[in-house]
Amino acid sequence: MSLNRIEQRIVDYVEAHKEERQYWELKVRAAAKSSPDDYAASIALEADLWAYYLERSQVAEPFMSTAKREGLKRTSLRNLAEYWLRQWAPPQKKKTGAEGGP
């Protein structure tokens, strides 16, 4: 899995802050549970991750200095959303065309 710079910055920050990691693990599991499939969960999480990045850019390093230097141009965080879903959420069963059939 290849993450962009912003995604990697979020991962590094979350890994370094226990409370942030716990928050995101719960959020990822909740998104997986409430979404019909992993695709829908990743879309919802991607939006939450961008909101998180914007919020952290106002109050926490290294986000603040990077935002000042590079700006806050919208960047996809979908790879990170999908990565965390695979890492922290139980896999969802594939839906089949007929009940009980392959």
Side-chain angles (χ1 to χ4, degrees):
M1 164 82 32
S2 178
L3 301 176
N4 65 42
R5 289 187 327 252
I6 292 175
E7 290 170 323
Q8 189 60 56
R9 192 170 298 119
I10 293 170
V11 168
D12 293 343
Y13 183 81
V14 167
E15 291 293 321
H17 296 84
K18 182 181 176 183
E19 301 84 12
E20 298 292 320
R21 181 182 168 113
Q22 290 171 339
Y23 170 82
W24 279 105
E25 283 186 37
L26 292 172
K27 190 152 189 78
V28 166
R29 288 184 183 119
K33 188 175 183 176
S34 67
S35 298
D37 56 32
D38 286 343
Y39 176 79
S42 71
I43 296 294
L45 283 170
E46 198 265 346
D48 290 341
L49 283 163
W50 181 248
Y52 177 77
Y53 185 75
L54 292 176
E55 184 270 331
R56 294 280 92 189
S57 295
Q58 301 298 311
V59 298
E61 288 297 343
F63 304 104
M64 288 177 12
S65 59
T66 302
K68 286 179 186 173
R69 188 174 57 251
E70 299 175 7
L72 290 171
K73 184 178 178 187
R74 180 69 164 99
T75 303
S76 174
L77 302 174
R78 185 87 179 280
N79 284 341
L80 178 55
E82 291 174 354
Y83 172 67
W84 278 352
L85 279 166
R86 285 194 305 274
Q87 185 177 11
W88 294 331
Q92 294 195 28
K93 294 184 179 180
K94 301 276 185 192
K95 294 182 180 175
T96 60
E99 281 295 315

